[in-house]
Structure formats: structure tokens, C-alpha cells
Amino acid sequence: MSEEATKILVFSHRAPVRDSIINAIGRRPATDLGKVTYVEAEGVAEVLTEMDSGDIDLAVLDGEAQPTGGMGLTRQLKHELTDCPPIVVAVRRKDDRWLATWSQADAVLVHPLDPLTAAETVAEVLRAQRVPTTRA
């Protein structure tokens, strides 16, 4: 029986930023989580459509995206979606971490992205979202 892959939405108006996020996280952020697949979005409308679909397990939003940044978008999604999936915000400066916290992001990544840190951060957020299983 094969498990369905975890679906991660990656948002940035710039393709190189989306690529750097995907490459840093990788296809399998941790051995206990299985493989992930990516859905890329370059505009806010795409993000809203994907997040509304209920198919996204986690989103990574570029805090520097234009014209709408990932931090404002994170705050909007956290307020508008009843079952909002976890959101990780990628920022350019360590000093912007407080803004990502204000946005209610579940975690923050800082550019340049370190693959070990990015994969570990995403894995921790995904693990925190797991529904515990019980045995009868």
C-alpha cells in the first residue's frame, strides 16, 4: 500500500526563488515523512485557489514576493481558512523574523536557504500537524 505524497505549495513571483525553496527542502525532508510533491504558484490567486482546495499539506511563501508578500498573505490565510494548513515563510533578513511571527507563520526560513535547516524545519512543521493514531 503506497502512501499519498505530502503536497507542498511554494509561492513566489520569481521562479528562481521557488526553485531555491524546492531544492533546499528536497523530495524527502525526513526519512519518517515520505516523499513530497510541489505545487508552484507565482500569483496570489493561484495560492488562494490551491489553499481553498484542501489538497495542500503545507505552504512555503516568499516573504519578499511582489506585489503581495508572503507575510501579509500568511496572515490573511490564517484568518480566512478554517483548517489552514501550516505555513512557512521565507525571509531575506534574520531581522524580518518578527514580521513572520506577526503573520502567524508556523515557521520561518532565512535566505540563503540552508538545505539541512530547510528540510528539518519543514519536517518539524509537518510532524506537528500529524493526527495521532490510536490502536483499539
Side-chain angles (χ1 to χ4, degrees), residues 68-80:
T68 303
M71 288 180 267
L73 190 52
T74 297
R75 191 164 174 90
Q76 175 184 343
L77 291 165
K78 291 289 187 173
H79 285 272
E80 292 180 359

Side-chain angles (χ1 to χ4, degrees), residues 44-124:
V44 174
E46 294 168 85
V47 172
L48 297 176
T49 298
E50 290 296 336
M51 294 294 273
D52 282 340
S53 75
D55 294 336
I56 300 299
D57 297 301
L58 179 136
V60 181
L61 308 181
D62 177 10
E64 312 296 322
Q66 297 294 324
T68 303
M71 288 180 267
L73 190 52
T74 297
R75 191 164 174 90
Q76 175 184 343
L77 291 165
K78 291 289 187 173
H79 285 272
E80 292 180 359
L81 295 178
T82 304
D83 292 320
C84 187
I87 300 174
V88 176
V89 174
V91 297
R92 293 260 172 238
R93 302 175 325 131
K94 286 182 183 181
D95 292 347
D96 289 338
R97 284 178 168 276
W98 75 271
L99 278 170
T101 302
W102 165 85
S103 74
Q104 300 177 338
D106 296 276
V108 181
L109 296 174
V110 180
H111 289 282
L113 300 177
D114 172 60
L116 292 176
T117 302
E120 182 178 302
T121 300
V122 166
E124 287 173 5

